[in-house]
Amino acid sequence: MFLLCVYSRNLNVIFEICMVVVMTSSVVHREAESQLSSDTDLDDPDGKHAKTGKGMAAKKGKKALGDKAKGGGAGRTPGLGRVNGHHQENGMENMTLFEVVKMGKSATQSVVDDWIEAYKHDRDIALLDLINFFIQCSGCKGAVSPEMFRHMQNSEIIRKMTEEFDEDSGDYPLTMSGPQWKKFRISFCDFIAVLVRQCQYSIIYDEYMMDTVISLLTGLSDSQVRAFRHTSTLAAMKLMTALVNVALNLSINMDNTQRQYEAERNKVVAKRANDRLELLLQKRKELQENQDEIENMMNAIFKGVFVHRYRDAIAEIRAVCIEEIGVWMKLYSDAFLNDSYLKYVGWTMHDKQGEVRLKCLTALQGLFYSRELGARLELFTSRFKDRIVSMTLDKEYDVAVQAVKLLTLVLQSSDEVLTAEDCESIYHLVYSAHRPIAVSAGEFLFKKLFSHRDPEEEGLPRRGRQSLNGSLIKTTVFFFLESELHEHGAYLVDSLWDCASELLKDWETMISLLLDEPMSGEEALTDRQETALVEIMLCAIRQACECHPPVGRGTGKRVLSAKEKKTQLDDRTRITEMFAVALPLLLAKYCVDIDKVTNLLQIPKYFDLDIYTTGRLEKHLDALLRQIWEVQDKHTDTEVLEACSTTYHALCNEEFTIFNRVDIARSQLLDELVDKFNRLLEDFLQEGEEPDEDDAYQVLSTLKKISAFHNAHDLSKWDLFTSNYRLLNTGLQNGDMPEQIVIHAMQCTHYIILWHLAKVSDGSSLKGDMVNLRKQMRAFCLMCQRYLNSINNAVKEQAFTILCDLLMIFSHQIMSSGREQLEPLVYTPDSSLQADLLNFILDQVFIDQDDDNNSTDGQQDEEASKIEALHKRRNLLAAYCKLIIYNVVEMNTAADIFKQYMRYYNDYGDIIKDTLSKTRQIDKVQCAKTLVLSLQALFNEMLSELGFNVDRSTSAFCGIKELARRFSLTFGLDQLKTREAIAMLHKDGIEFAFKEPSPQGQGSPPLNLAFLDILSEFSSKLIRQDRRSVHMYLERFMTVQMALQREDCWLPLISYRNSLQAGGDDDTMSVVSGISSRGSTRSKKSKPATSSKRKLPEGVLLFNTLFSVAEENSCSSSDAVWMNREQNVQTPVMMHSPHLTSTVLRDPKKMRPEDSYTPQQPHHHHQAAIDYNRRGSGLMEDDEEPIVEDVMMSSEDRLEDINEGMDFDTIDIDLPASKNRRERTELKPDYFDPSSIMDDSVLNVSMF
């Protein structure tokens, strides 16, 4: 009996083992089915197990943690890869799921498979592992324990995890920089996608795993912690995308099953398999149930996460939502491509962050790529087309580029959507300075104007006047002329180059259009159209040979690939072979046309000159040289003459065999010009005879040609200096020399000196050439200085420009780079020359627009002439400022420049500010002296105009005080670097204030006492020690009676003393160079007296020493004392600014520019705060370079009017709070009812 019982128990054990093996093989078989195709899965009769498993799971419910462990389910063998929910690989220690994904060493497929195995053994432990995975991916150091998972709700768990978040850092994995974290983001998204794909046949339908995950992610996405919200939103959106793929597969399987069912049912009764029909019906039913369940999951994610997070306060979260909804609409267009979902993309196109707007455009591009999908977007396009067109002028260049590309796709889908006005707003972008925008607009232009071919055009020849390209080239010319930007042909060609290079390289057709006579019935090109065609042809040649964008687009030359280099060489060869023959004919036809000839003469510099010899084209070279001679003989225009000179320079290359032929032709031409000039000059300068107009014209035309050729060719052997100097000297003596002759004589003499200097510099000159050059240069500079006093403005401007160039060239820097032998050539301007240059600037540059006699021209528009005149004056000022910066003239001459800063800020503010910055880098102390000198000059001018009784409320005085404030701000925040300069500035200012006694007698304030009120603007730049020292220096000039005065006339002295005493007892060094406010408070509490006693006397003593030495005018000793003082003073270590803990920010629209600037300064408790905000926005608040935006993109104001804010229901908490301030922007809906965003009817709308 006992043996029978034992045998019976053994049979039961064996039976249970067999059942476990059968169940395990069944599970493995079902999971293996996930790798099969959909058709194979549908044909498998075992598909019913999926629903059976789901029903069993539903009945089982949530199992208590640890039950499986008791049965041995949790304890796994090492071969399974996971132990207690942790991954184990190659004997390594146990790692969490987060660590495995972060390392990225394991394939995502194997990681997911391991988790699925763990889920089958104990779904609670596996789910806990997955929950902690999402928590850890958010950067939280806490972990969800089994007890928390068993007894707490999701909201309680999230609250607990929030409390355990690391408060010290706001970084979390999705925002961390570095390649490891970028790879982690990819692995994180792949993990979610693979997890759903691997579980799509069974586990996701068990009503447990997906419900738990979706509930957790929904709760986390509503968290106030940005890390939780961002991570869970990304996970939910990727989960949604994976479910969309599952739903799409189910839809396809349902369609396949339906077709199989219809095919089987349509068979004759004898061949019909009833069991297969039942199987197909059952399969379709199961698929429909699965589809319904997937739809419920997607609805839960969409309503619980997307609807709230697409308008989140964080731009990255909004961008994630919009990016994924674009994927859904493209993948599963039947369910998502409708107005219920498109409206979210349309609304978000008004987002203030360019990143989000960019995602909207890229999402729509994915839809418009397909003509089938694009046809279903008619309503959306009609509602949001205007917004997309306006985004082509977006302030973010990337957004503007994608907007143009999107409109190009819209154009391809339908020609009727975009109106003529819409297209014209895009056409002008081909002239944008931002090349990606211009290229996108060029592609749009090409698609619109060049892609449509009529049926009758199909049979046209490929090249030639009657070819299809001939018609397209004419269209390009018409567009170029209609755009009215005729000086920017290079920009148009560059914009079209990527998409229409074959058309633009059809030079054969262009030549035919210019040379051949039109056919019968063909309309010939007008003169204006031919000029435009020549310009486009030249720009296309330049683009093909140089292979880089025109000036203003791109950053320098890029490295060409081998294929691009080969294309470049082939194009250059074609250009040479074609235009070597055609160019002489073109020059002969258009010889008298200035614009055409100027452009045509630039073509030879792109030739491959070897082809003249290898291709036996010497006769065409001779024809070209004859045509150039004829052109220079017929023209006196400077541009044409310089083009002829440049062409000779390009052809006269000693490396090629054609050099001798060209050099002979050039020498013959120059011999004729020089002989003619000398002969005409003798007749022109004969004593006792007045030259007539014909003689003056002949001299001027010849001198123009010689000057143009002397610019590119060395004419030293003809000794033209004597003739030109004689001409200039006669003009000074007689005073009746035509201005153009004087101007070109100066220019020619300038070229003579520069060519002479080039020969001396390279050592190819004779022994006495340097002495001769020195004499000629000094004599010519003296001549130009005398012409500065001419009554003719054009002559004075030419003399000034040449003088500035010569003074720069022959300054002390001529000896740099090992050229010490040129020291005898150094020329330093004397005081009279410096005064004449400065007077010219003051008389010719700092004038009102109406006073400029050269600013009006009857042949030009008045506004354009004013702009041109302003540009000329800016060049003159920049030339003089360059002399100041390079220490050619004294720095104190800049005082008359600096004092004009406020009055002429709009015209010259950037030049003056840059000059001030450069001079400070050269010598801080001398720059400060120059600043106070400019303020003193303005103060004296005010006294001369208003009298001795200064009214500090007048606009003149307020203007000087405001200028002082701007000057003060340019010194920056590091007060130790500018300590000596600020000290000397106060010293000079105090001495000026007490310099002149009162004209009203004793007892009245000094004449310049009001200057102390202006000087007080610089008191905030003094450190504590120097405040007391300046105050002591001030008291040297004060009497006892002055200190007791309280009348209004003594208020400048009172206010200045108060500005020096404010913060005088503070124990901190300075705003930036000292310690932080928190550190200073602690140090004052610990030992306040020690710090003061140790530092204050030292500063006072050193400052007094500085002033006493300065009073003795010993600059060298002053510098030494100051250097010693700086070495003795120990600068306290600057403490870090404390982290801000408040997340409440002021409205950015209500903040002035200074408000966003001043919080960066640590505030000291006892030092008087520097009020940077008491006036309007400063013009010199910082030393940053001005931002120059493309004119085409200056629509920021227009966009700001659109991008108004709307309130969000999401509160953003940053860790730390200051981490994400710049991203707190808001959205505004458009075109739809704004209230519908928050309406329950929208939130409750069903997807299906």
Side-chain angles (χ1 to χ4, degrees):
M1 194 65 181
F2 174 78
L3 293 175
L4 183 60
C5 293
V6 171
Y7 180 71
S8 176
R9 284 197 299 270
N10 291 338
L11 286 176
N12 292 334
V13 172
I14 294 173
F15 178 78
E16 291 178 0
I17 293 174
C18 292
M19 289 298 295
V20 170
V21 172
V22 171
M23 292 177 63
T24 303
S25 63
S26 177
V27 171
V28 172
H29 177 67
R30 286 201 306 273
E31 292 299 324
E33 288 176 352
S34 64
Q35 308 299 326
L36 301 177
S37 65
S38 58
D39 293 337
T40 306
D41 180 69
L42 289 170
D43 294 335
D44 187 3
D46 293 334
K48 59 185 180 181
H49 292 299
K51 290 300 293 183
T52 304
K54 183 181 69 171
M56 292 176 62
K59 294 178 182 179
K60 180 177 180 181
K62 185 173 181 180
K63 184 177 179 65
L65 286 172
D67 291 350
K68 285 286 183 178
K70 295 179 182 178
R76 302 286 310 284
T77 60
L80 291 178
R82 297 189 70 83
V83 178
N84 294 328
H86 294 271
H87 187 80
Q88 190 179 51
E89 182 180 9
N90 299 329
M92 296 173 61
E93 62 178 356
N94 293 341
M95 294 185 295
T96 62
L97 196 58
F98 167 73
E99 294 170 343
V100 175
V101 174
K102 174 184 172 183
M103 290 180 61
K105 294 182 178 180
S106 301
T108 307
Q109 182 83 27
S110 62
V111 176
V112 172
D113 290 342
D114 289 345
W115 184 88
I116 291 175
E117 291 183 14
Y119 183 83
K120 292 173 182 176
H121 284 78
D122 193 322
R123 62 182 188 178
D124 290 336
I125 292 180
L127 266 180
L128 182 61
D129 194 16
L130 187 62
I131 291 172
N132 282 321
F133 168 72
F134 290 119
I135 296 296
Q136 293 173 1
C137 287
S138 302
C140 181
K141 303 302 182 182
V144 181
S145 64
E147 291 75 14
M148 295 168 58
F149 180 63
R150 186 166 52 244
H151 299 109
M152 297 173 65
Q153 298 294 327
N154 282 337
S155 60
E156 298 174 343
I157 294 176
I158 295 173
R159 188 180 303 111
K160 181 67 174 177
M161 292 299 100
T162 302
E163 296 173 356
E164 298 183 7
F165 221 102
D166 184 10
E167 296 284 347
D168 296 334
S169 174
D171 293 332
Y172 51 95
L174 292 184
T175 59
M176 290 183 182
S177 59
Q180 178 187 9
W181 296 110
K182 291 182 180 179
K183 186 177 180 181
F184 167 79
R185 182 189 178 97
I186 298 174
S187 301
F188 177 74
C189 298
D190 290 343
F191 174 81
I192 297 174
V194 174
L195 177 64
V196 175
R197 186 177 70 242
Q198 293 298 100
C199 299
Q200 64 177 319
Y201 296 106
S202 59
I203 296 179
I204 62 173
Y205 304 110
D206 66 358
E207 298 181 356
Y208 183 64
M209 188 269 280
M210 290 301 296
D211 292 351
T212 305
V213 172
I214 293 175
S215 176
L216 174 70
L217 295 179
T218 303
L220 288 174
S221 68
D222 197 35
S223 172
Q224 296 180 352
V225 179
R226 170 183 172 175
F228 279 149
R229 205 166 64 253
H230 187 184
T231 307
S232 60
T233 301
L234 177 61
M237 295 299 99
K238 293 298 180 181
L239 183 64
M240 179 79 165
T241 302
L243 291 175
V244 168
N245 281 296
V246 174
L248 181 61
N249 292 333
L250 289 174
S251 178
I252 296 174
N253 291 341
M254 289 177 63
D255 293 341
N256 293 337
T257 303
Q258 183 65 28
R259 286 197 301 270
Q260 294 174 7
Y261 177 79
E262 294 295 338
E264 188 69 26
R265 190 178 63 176
N266 292 334
K267 292 180 180 179
V268 296
V269 179
K271 295 183 178 181
R272 184 186 303 166
N274 293 329
D275 55 345
R276 179 168 177 77
L277 287 175
E278 293 179 1
L279 181 61
L280 291 174
L281 285 174
Q282 180 66 23
K283 176 71 70 176
R284 188 178 64 178
K285 180 180 178 182
E286 293 178 359
L287 291 173
Q288 185 62 48
E289 292 177 357
N290 291 344
Q291 181 82 0
D292 295 340
E293 192 159 349
I294 294 296
E295 291 174 3
N296 291 334
M297 297 177 192
M298 291 192 296
N299 270 322
I301 296 176
F302 188 83
K303 295 179 182 179
V305 180
F306 179 88
V307 170
H308 301 287
R309 299 281 69 79
Y310 89 96
R311 54 190 178 176
D312 194 277
I314 304 302
E316 289 93 332
I317 298 178
R318 302 196 300 271
V320 167
C321 295
I322 297 302
E323 181 180 13
E324 294 305 316
I325 197 175
V327 175
W328 308 338
M329 290 186 288
K330 185 177 180 181
L331 287 177
Y332 200 2
S333 58
D334 293 339
F336 289 95
L337 192 57
N338 54 63
D339 296 334
S340 298
Y341 299 99
L342 284 169
K343 65 183 179 183
Y344 295 106
V345 180
W347 287 339
T348 317
M349 281 195 296
H350 296 275
D351 196 281
K352 286 188 176 181
Q353 293 296 323
E355 175 187 1
V356 184
R357 299 194 299 272
L358 186 64
K359 293 298 182 182
C360 295
L361 295 174
T362 54
L364 293 174
Q365 287 177 12
L367 302 178
F368 279 101
Y369 269 120
S370 172
R371 288 185 175 269
E372 179 183 356
L373 298 181
R376 297 163 59 180
L377 295 169
E378 295 181 359
L379 178 59
F380 174 85
T381 306
S382 63
R383 289 181 178 240
F384 292 98
K385 179 198 65 175
D386 294 340
R387 173 56 184 158
I388 298 175
V389 172
S390 68
M391 293 175 74
T392 60
L393 299 177
D394 197 278
K395 61 183 179 181
E396 300 287 344
Y397 287 138
D398 293 340
V399 177
V401 170
Q402 298 305 323
V404 176
K405 290 183 178 180
L406 176 59
L407 290 173
T408 305
L409 295 175
V410 173
L411 181 66
Q412 291 177 347
S413 63
S414 176
D415 294 335
E416 302 175 355
V417 175
L418 299 177
T419 63
E421 293 77 8
D422 297 334
C423 295
E424 289 176 1
S425 64
I426 304 172
Y427 290 160
H428 75 275
L429 293 178
V430 296
Y431 299 103
S432 171
H434 190 259
R435 191 171 191 272
I437 294 177
V439 171
S440 301
E443 184 179 358
F444 180 89
L445 176 65
F446 183 78
K447 299 287 185 186
K448 180 65 177 177
L449 300 182
F450 305 144
S451 297
H452 303 286
R453 298 185 180 181
D454 297 332
E456 60 270 13
E457 296 178 344
E458 295 297 333
L460 295 178
R462 183 180 179 187
R463 298 191 183 277
R465 189 181 187 94
Q466 299 298 320
S467 66
L468 176 62
N469 280 354
S471 176
L472 297 179
I473 290 173
K474 290 181 181 179
T475 304
T476 306
V477 172
F478 299 154
F479 172 80
F480 180 50
L481 291 176
E482 290 176 0
S483 63
E484 298 182 354
L485 293 171
H486 305 153
E487 298 180 358
H488 301 285
Y491 287 85
L492 175 61
V493 170
D494 181 57
S495 301
L496 294 171
W497 194 255
D498 292 349
C499 57
S501 59
E502 182 179 356
L503 172 66
L504 296 173
K505 289 181 182 179
D506 191 0
W507 299 295
E508 180 182 350
T509 301
M510 297 181 185
I511 294 173
S512 177
L513 289 172
L514 292 172
L515 292 178
D516 297 346
E517 294 297 327
M519 304 293 291
S520 59
E522 180 185 359
E523 184 178 356
L525 294 176
T526 64
D527 179 73
R528 187 163 172 259
Q529 292 169 351
E530 288 178 340
T531 303
L533 177 56
V534 171
E535 182 177 355
I536 291 175
M537 180 174 66
L538 172 63
C539 295
I541 292 173
R542 181 190 298 116
Q543 187 83 11
C545 294
E546 294 181 353
C547 293
H548 65 80
V551 177
R553 282 188 184 170
T555 54
K557 297 182 179 180
R558 61 185 181 88
V559 179
L560 301 179
S561 62
K563 182 179 179 180
E564 291 174 333
K565 289 181 179 179
K566 184 179 183 303
T567 303
Q568 182 185 28
L569 293 176
D570 294 342
D571 290 339
R572 193 175 183 186
T573 302
R574 277 188 58 228
I575 291 169
T576 307
E577 294 174 349
M578 199 174 300
F579 284 93
V581 179
L583 186 58
L585 301 177
L586 292 170
L587 288 174
K589 181 176 180 180
Y590 302 110
C591 184
V592 296
D593 194 304
I594 294 177
D595 294 332
K596 296 186 183 69
V597 168
T598 303
N599 287 327
L600 290 173
L601 285 175
Q602 297 182 46
I603 295 178
K605 65 182 180 181
Y606 302 106
F607 282 177
D608 182 1
L609 299 181
D610 271 336
I611 295 180
Y612 271 116
T613 304
T614 59
R616 300 182 181 275
L617 302 175
E618 289 86 353
K619 63 177 182 179
H620 298 288
L621 176 62
D622 294 336
L624 176 61
L625 295 176
R626 287 194 300 271
Q627 292 299 326
I628 297 175
W629 190 94
E630 292 184 6
V631 168
Q632 67 84 25
D633 186 55
K634 294 180 180 179
H635 288 275
T636 59
D637 186 80
T638 304
E639 292 184 359
V640 177
L641 296 176
E642 289 180 352
C644 293
S645 175
T646 305
T647 303
Y648 271 114
H649 183 267
L651 296 175
C652 287
N653 193 329
E654 298 181 1
E655 299 179 358
F656 300 98
T657 55
I658 65 172
F659 169 73
N660 291 331
R661 188 187 300 261
V662 180
D663 186 48
I664 292 173
R666 180 185 61 175
S667 299
Q668 292 175 352
L669 172 62
L670 294 176
D671 283 337
E672 292 180 8
L673 291 176
V674 174
D675 292 341
K676 182 180 179 181
F677 174 70
N678 290 330
R679 185 177 64 255
L680 292 172
L681 188 63
E682 290 297 330
D683 297 337
F684 185 73
L685 298 180
Q686 284 184 357
E687 297 182 2
E689 297 183 5
E690 294 184 1
D692 56 11
E693 294 183 358
D694 292 337
D695 294 339
Y697 176 78
Q698 291 294 332
V699 172
L700 175 61
S701 61
T702 308
L703 187 58
K704 273 188 174 182
K705 296 174 183 179
I706 292 177
S707 298
F709 277 90
H710 211 338
N711 187 11
H713 306 272
D714 185 8
L715 309 184
S716 300
K717 64 180 180 179
W718 281 278
D719 190 19
L720 293 169
F721 180 84
T722 303
S723 301
N724 283 278
Y725 188 83
R726 180 184 173 191
L727 184 63
L728 291 173
N729 192 33
T730 304
L732 278 176
Q733 293 175 358
N734 299 334
D736 57 351
M737 187 72 67
E739 67 173 34
Q740 288 299 318
I741 293 180
V742 175
I743 290 174
H744 286 88
M746 285 183 182
Q747 191 66 51
C748 186
T749 310
H750 181 51
Y751 291 148
I752 293 171
I753 291 177
L754 294 183
W755 278 108
H756 200 171
L757 175 62
K759 293 179 64 176
V760 171
S761 299
D762 59 18
S764 60
S765 60
L766 299 178
K767 184 176 181 180
D769 286 348
M770 183 176 295
V771 177
N772 189 25
L773 173 60
R774 185 172 183 270
K775 292 180 180 179
Q776 291 180 356
M777 180 265 298
R778 291 177 179 269
F780 181 56
C781 287
L782 182 61
M783 181 72 67
C784 291
Q785 182 180 357
R786 295 169 65 186
Y787 268 105
L788 280 177
N789 299 319
S790 173
I791 60 175
N792 189 282
N793 287 334
V795 173
K796 289 195 293 185
E797 290 173 1
Q798 180 76 347
F800 176 83
T801 303
I802 291 177
L803 273 175
C804 290
D805 290 342
L806 290 178
L807 290 177
M808 277 296 303
I809 293 171
F810 290 95
S811 66
H812 59 278
Q813 299 192 20
I814 196 175
M815 299 183 298
S816 61
S817 303
R819 294 179 297 183
E820 290 79 5
Q821 73 276 7
L822 300 180
E823 184 179 0
L825 297 178
V826 175
Y827 179 60
T828 302
D830 55 15
S831 58
S832 63
L833 179 56
Q834 294 188 34
D836 290 341
L837 293 173
L838 181 59
N839 290 332
F840 174 85
I841 288 294
L842 297 178
D843 294 339
Q844 301 295 325
V845 174
F846 295 107
I847 58 177
D848 295 331
Q849 192 72 261
D850 297 335
D851 297 338
D852 186 7
N853 297 326
N854 299 327
S855 64
T856 58
D857 189 352
Q859 299 178 356
Q860 296 181 351
D861 181 74
E862 182 179 359
E863 189 66 26
S865 62
K866 288 183 178 181
I867 294 175
E868 183 179 358
L870 175 61
H871 182 67
K872 180 177 63 177
R873 295 196 300 271
R874 285 175 57 86
N875 288 336
L876 294 175
L877 178 60
Y880 184 77
C881 290
K882 191 184 298 183
L883 299 179
I884 299 174
I885 293 173
Y886 287 92
N887 203 22
V888 178
V889 299
E890 296 294 335
M891 188 181 295
N892 56 13
T893 60
D896 290 302
I897 307 295
F898 293 159
K899 73 179 183 181
Q900 308 289 348
Y901 180 78
M902 291 289 294
R903 183 177 179 183
Y904 295 96
Y905 175 80
N906 293 332
D907 294 340
Y908 318 116
D910 55 336
I911 300 176
I912 299 176
K913 181 178 177 181
D914 191 61
T915 305
L916 176 57
S917 176
K918 297 295 184 182
T919 53
R920 180 175 290 116
Q921 295 176 12
I922 298 173
D923 190 339
K924 294 184 178 64
V925 175
Q926 187 60 36
C927 178
K929 286 177 171 288
T930 305
L931 291 179
V932 76
L933 188 62
S934 65
L935 295 174
Q936 292 170 8
L938 288 174
F939 188 84
N940 288 330
E941 293 176 5
M942 180 189 66
L943 291 180
S944 62
E945 294 178 3
L946 303 180
F948 299 144
N949 296 324
V950 178
D951 185 1
R952 294 187 299 156
S953 63
T954 60
S955 59
F957 186 87
C958 294
I960 302 175
K961 191 173 176 65
E962 174 66 13
L963 179 60
R965 187 184 75 89
R966 303 283 173 80
F967 286 163
S968 174
L969 293 175
T970 62
F971 283 95
L973 298 176
D974 195 342
Q975 296 174 339
L976 286 182
K977 290 183 178 180
T978 60
R979 182 180 183 183
E980 184 178 2
I982 293 293
M984 297 305 298
L985 186 147
H986 279 274
K987 172 186 175 297
D988 290 353
I990 293 172
E991 292 175 353
F992 175 78
F994 292 93
K995 181 178 181 181
E996 298 291 339
S998 174
Q1000 300 176 0
Q1002 190 175 4
S1004 299
L1007 178 63
N1008 301 331
L1009 186 67
F1011 189 79
L1012 293 178
D1013 195 11
I1014 300 172
L1015 193 61
S1016 63
E1017 295 291 339
F1018 299 92
S1019 299
S1020 61
K1021 298 300 178 181
L1022 289 168
I1023 63 175
R1024 174 189 49 81
Q1025 297 97 318
D1026 296 348
R1027 285 176 187 263
R1028 290 198 171 190
S1029 300
V1030 170
H1031 187 268
M1032 293 174 61
Y1033 188 74
L1034 175 65
E1035 290 178 346
R1036 296 184 184 180
F1037 297 86
M1038 295 172 55
T1039 63
V1040 179
Q1041 291 77 12
M1042 290 182 182
L1044 300 177
Q1045 297 294 336
R1046 289 297 180 267
E1047 290 81 2
D1048 292 343
C1049 58
W1050 295 93
L1051 286 179
L1053 177 60
I1054 298 173
S1055 62
Y1056 183 58
R1057 293 183 65 192
N1058 292 336
S1059 67
L1060 296 177
Q1061 293 174 352
D1065 297 330
D1066 188 18
D1067 65 340
T1068 55
M1069 290 289 290
S1070 66
V1071 175
V1072 169
S1073 301
I1075 58 177
S1076 67
S1077 59
R1078 187 166 50 186
S1080 63
T1081 304
R1082 285 196 296 265
S1083 61
K1084 189 172 69 173
K1085 290 181 179 179
S1086 57
K1087 41 182 181 181
T1090 305
S1091 176
S1092 300
K1093 292 180 180 180
R1094 185 178 64 253
K1095 296 179 181 178
L1096 285 178
E1098 180 186 5
V1100 174
L1101 177 61
L1102 290 171
F1103 203 93
N1104 292 335
T1105 304
L1106 172 67
F1107 280 165
S1108 62
V1109 174
E1111 288 176 342
E1112 297 172 1
N1113 295 324
S1114 178
C1115 298
S1116 58
S1117 60
S1118 173
D1119 294 338
V1121 172
W1122 193 262
M1123 291 294 296
N1124 294 332
R1125 190 258 306 145
E1126 288 192 341
Q1127 294 174 2
N1128 294 332
V1129 175
Q1130 295 182 356
T1131 305
V1133 180
M1134 178 179 175
M1135 303 292 291
H1136 293 290
S1137 301
H1139 287 291
L1140 301 178
T1141 56
S1142 174
T1143 60
V1144 180
L1145 290 179
R1146 295 174 60 183
D1147 186 359
K1149 296 180 180 179
K1150 299 179 181 179
M1151 292 178 66
R1152 300 195 304 183
E1154 297 88 353
D1155 294 335
S1156 60
Y1157 184 76
T1158 52
Q1160 298 176 4
Q1161 310 173 33
H1163 297 285
H1164 300 282
H1165 295 291
H1166 297 277
Q1167 185 173 356
I1170 304 173
D1171 185 9
Y1172 291 101
N1173 304 322
R1174 57 175 175 262
R1175 295 177 179 86
S1177 58
L1179 303 177
M1180 299 179 66
E1181 306 298 344
D1182 53 76
D1183 288 333
E1184 295 289 336
E1185 293 292 333
I1187 299 175
V1188 182
E1189 295 184 355
D1190 184 10
V1191 176
M1192 302 296 183
M1193 310 306 296
S1194 59
S1195 60
E1196 182 174 357
D1197 296 337
R1198 177 181 170 190
L1199 295 176
E1200 288 297 325
D1201 294 338
I1202 297 176
N1203 295 333
E1204 296 296 336
M1206 85 172 206
D1207 294 334
F1208 297 120
D1209 61 347
T1210 300
I1211 300 177
D1212 179 34
I1213 294 182
D1214 299 333
L1215 299 173
S1218 60
K1219 206 65 180 171
N1220 197 45
R1221 282 187 159 71
R1222 62 183 181 275
E1223 299 167 6
R1224 294 174 186 262
T1225 54
E1226 301 172 342
L1227 307 174
K1228 176 189 175 183
D1230 196 6
Y1231 297 104
F1232 289 98
D1233 183 10
S1235 61
S1236 63
I1237 299 181
M1238 302 300 296
D1239 195 2
D1240 294 336
S1241 61
V1242 177
L1243 302 181
N1244 296 329
V1245 69
S1246 177
M1247 279 193 345
F1248 300 93

